[in-house]
Amino acid sequence: MRANLFTLTACLLAGTASAASEKSAFKPDKDGKYWIYGEGISAAFIPYGASITDLLVKDQYGIDRDVVMGFDNATYYEVDKQHAHLGGIVGRYANRIKNSTFEIDGVEYKVKANDNPTPEYPEGLDTLHGGPDGWDWRTFSVVSYTNNSITFSLVDPDGKEGFPGEVVSYVTYTLGKMTWDFKIVAIATTKKTPIMLSNHGYWNLDGFANNETQSVLNHTFYLPYSGQRVDVDPILIPTGDIAANKKGSVNDFWSAPKQIASGFKGKEIEGNCGGGCDGYDNCWLVNKPSPIDWRADGNYVARLQSAWSGIQLDIYSDQEAFQMYSCNFQNGSMTLKKGQGLYDNEDFPRTVPKYGCLVLEVEDWIDAINHPEWHRSDKHFIEPGGDPYVVQASYRFSINSTVTPY
Ligand SMILES: *[C@@H]1O[C@H](CO)[C@@H](O)[C@H](O)[C@H]1NC(C)=O
Ligand SMILES: *[C@@H]1O[C@H](CO)[C@@H](O)[C@H](O)[C@H]1NC(C)=O
Ligand SMILES: *[C@@H]1O[C@H](CO)[C@@H](O)[C@H](O)[C@H]1NC(C)=O
Ligand SMILES: *[C@@H]1O[C@H](CO)[C@@H](O)[C@H](O)[C@H]1NC(C)=O
Ligand SMILES: *[C@@H]1O[C@H](CO)[C@@H](O)[C@H](O)[C@H]1NC(C)=O
Ligand SMILES: *[C@@H]1O[C@H](CO)[C@@H](O)[C@H](O)[C@H]1NC(C)=O
Ligand SMILES: *[C@@H]1O[C@H](CO)[C@@H](O)[C@H](O)[C@H]1NC(C)=O
């Protein structure tokens, strides 16, 4: 019976995959990108990391802007040495795991380190985004592909990167009317294991074509439910404390929308993204009643807008935290895609400058697997026979819809 069930599942999956590849209209383009279409929006994805590579919406003048970072072709993602997790699914456990260690039912697990290397620990003091071969380095399978949606799947084997048990996951991206939605489902098939997944897209709502500034410091950001954040140490590991984002302080994006740049005016920005780092790489809490009835409540958790392009992005999600990183480590060494940026403008080379982008990640409280006192363990440890891990988000675009005074 059991063997039959597995065979049946395998056939179903294989059937869907070959059905998708047989439809001649639905094939990747010559650059290996899988395009999907909605009303007023189109986007492309690749199996590597189940990454988003392009997202096109029209700006206030009707010009197409590609608002995510990426590369011109699928092959280059595997070649690029910087590996900035560009647009991919970060997992099996997003963000940092303290000391690359966690405990399940009295057993300690050590996973591979890949962050904050020191002479004594050359691999690193902690694990970032699932380890050196995290999910955004893996090639997913395409299990379904239509004109407006694509579904990827990954089977993460038992023991990979040191994590216990096999995890089977599905990632579905869908375009609607000026919206990009994703849904990620994962189940633990053999052992209890930590799971936290998110999309790691890099955003610039001007498509790097703003001829006065290529940075996102002029973008306006708003986190209406985020009066608190996860406090971190100088290497961005949660201390266990929850910090208040006092009104008017550097991390206050709740009391009113504000330009990213205005956070940079005082000294508070120094070290705000870790030792020696000026900028943002923080995990804000989303203080809505839990569990979040996100489809019904109708309230976005984050809003980003650019007055230059007129493009506004509202993010809705079922997740209870939100990470924002302000590209503090971009240094002009990563090139733009052909459809982005300016040509023949000596002020702006065709590369991504420091603070040229924002990473926006819907997720839960980071490193909660090492903070049982937060009482979030049930969301972070997934076990066979238990509830699946689910993350859902809707990214909704509009033009000229809000005029925010600076
Ligand atoms: C947005 O506003 C600008 C400036 O007022 C205007 O020129 C443009 O036509 C508007 N675009 C849309 C799509 O509403
Ligand atoms: C693939 O993309 C990379 C980066 O965008 C670019 O440098 C390279 O020339 C492209 N290769 C081909 C064959 O188009
Ligand atoms: C880090 O983990 C190791 C086990 O792998 C343990 O021996 C050590 O005490 C831990 N260090 C800290 C600072 O928690
Ligand atoms: C895909 O959808 C777009 C936009 O809705 C439409 O213009 C296009 O004709 C569709 N393509 C196919 C093959 O159905
Ligand atoms: C920027 O572009 C706008 C619109 O194309 C143009 O009017 C303006 O003169 C340009 N500014 C600079 C500094 O090049
Ligand atoms: C950037 O924002 C400042 C206000 O903080 C404004 O004066 C300036 O015109 C903006 N520049 C662009 C290119 O949007
Ligand atoms: C820029 O960053 C990349 C990736 O971290 C690094 O390899 C390169 O050496 C840096 N370049 C400069 C000029 O700092």
Side-chain angles (χ1 to χ4, degrees):
M1 233 2 245
R2 193 174 154 81
N4 287 345
L5 189 61
F6 275 114
T7 316
L8 179 64
T9 313
C11 289
L12 283 173
L13 291 178
T16 329
S18 64
S21 57
E22 275 161 19
K23 276 183 210 147
S24 56
F26 300 121
K27 279 186 177 161
D29 71 7
K30 64 172 179 29
D31 295 317
K33 295 182 177 180
Y34 292 73
W35 285 89
I36 59 173
Y37 302 90
E39 203 179 307
I41 187 169
S42 58
F45 302 86
I46 54 169
Y48 186 75
S51 308
I52 183 167
T53 60
D54 303 73
L55 192 148
L56 297 173
V57 287
K58 290 197 190 315
D59 72 6
Q60 59 172 324
Y61 307 111
I63 301 169
D64 273 327
R65 298 294 175 204
D66 182 354
V67 294
V68 295
M69 268 170 72
F71 296 123
D72 287 326
N73 49 72
T75 24
Y76 195 70
Y77 283 76
E78 301 181 41
V79 174
D80 174 57
K81 293 282 180 289
Q82 296 194 34
H83 196 94
H85 317 280
L86 275 192
I89 297 298
V90 282
R92 154 186 327 196
Y93 195 78
N95 208 275
R96 295 181 173 79
I97 298 174
K98 183 182 184 176
N99 193 27
S100 304
T101 312
F102 54 87
E103 205 181 286
I104 299 176
D105 301 331
V107 178
E108 187 181 273
Y109 290 89
K110 190 89 192 172
V111 290
K112 287 189 182 171
N114 64 338
D115 189 43
N116 291 304
T118 63
E120 198 185 346
Y121 297 98
E123 303 307 320
L125 293 172
D126 60 280
T127 297
L128 177 61
H129 296 325
D133 195 25
W135 285 20
D136 62 298
W137 296 77
R138 313 274 187 86
T139 301
F140 287 58
S141 319
V142 178
V143 292
S144 173
Y145 180 33
T146 72
N147 197 30
N148 73 342
S149 100
I150 186 161
T151 297
F152 294 100
S153 178
L154 182 75
V155 177
D156 192 25
D158 181 11
K160 187 82 178 88
E161 306 304 279
F163 287 99
E166 179 191 74
V167 173
V168 177
S169 72
Y170 291 87
V171 179
T172 295
Y173 297 118
T174 310
L175 295 185
K177 186 178 179 186
M178 292 284 274
T179 61
W180 171 47
D181 289 3
F182 64 77
K183 180 182 291 191
I184 312 173
V185 179
I187 55 171
T189 54
T190 58
K191 289 176 195 164
K192 191 171 176 180
T193 187
I195 302 181
M196 184 155 75
L197 306 169
S198 193
N199 177 276
H200 199 274
Y202 285 75
W203 301 86
N204 178 309
L205 296 182
D206 298 335
F208 299 94
N210 185 332
N211 61 1
E212 292 164 24
T213 172
Q214 298 269 289
S215 87
V216 291
L217 297 178
N218 261 48
H219 285 36
T220 299
F221 189 53
Y222 186 32
L223 293 170
Y225 296 92
S226 299
Q228 293 171 303
R229 68 182 188 284
V230 174
D231 184 52
V232 289
D233 72 7
I235 61 165
L236 299 180
I237 305 292
T239 60
D241 291 338
I242 298 304
N245 300 322
K246 289 194 193 125
K247 201 170 172 178
S249 68
V250 66
N251 294 312
D252 166 24
F253 287 98
W254 63 268
S255 67
K258 87 179 178 196
Q259 271 188 304
I260 305 282
S262 62
F264 281 73
K265 283 175 184 151
K267 282 218 169 281
E268 265 189 298
I269 196 75
E270 293 172 14
N272 192 53
C273 43
C277 177
D278 300 348
Y280 293 100
D281 192 359
N282 306 79
C283 180
W284 283 263
L285 306 192
V286 172
N287 287 312
K288 286 188 179 190
S290 175
I292 297 178
D293 190 5
W294 75 288
R295 287 191 193 279
D297 83 0
N299 296 313
Y300 55 85
V301 297
R303 165 172 284 178
L304 182 68
Q305 58 187 151
S306 164
W308 185 83
S309 63
I311 297 172
Q312 175 172 302
L313 166 59
D314 293 336
I315 301 178
Y316 296 73
S317 173
D318 61 352
Q319 297 296 295
E320 295 181 28
F322 194 95
Q323 183 90 16
M324 186 269 277
Y325 164 67
S326 57
C327 288
N328 319 311
F329 296 109
Q330 287 297 328
N331 62 7
S333 60
M334 198 167 270
T335 49
L336 296 174
K337 282 176 286 181
K338 290 195 186 93
Q340 295 182 317
L342 297 161
Y343 285 87
D344 306 319
N345 183 315
E346 57 191 29
D347 293 335
F348 301 115
R350 297 188 45 71
T351 54
V352 180
K354 185 174 189 179
Y355 308 128
C357 40
L358 293 178
V359 174
L360 307 173
E361 289 160 88
V362 299
E363 62 195 5
D364 202 75
W365 301 22
I366 57 175
D367 201 28
I369 53 175
N370 281 310
H371 293 284
E373 73 277 16
W374 291 346
H375 301 290
R376 309 190 72 78
S377 301
D378 288 354
K379 280 182 188 290
H380 290 249
F381 291 109
I382 304 297
E383 59 187 319
D387 286 338
Y389 172 88
V390 180
V391 44
Q392 301 189 79
S394 183
Y395 286 53
R396 302 183 187 169
F397 295 88
S398 56
I399 306 298
N400 286 355
S401 49
T402 318
V403 179
T404 305
Y406 291 134

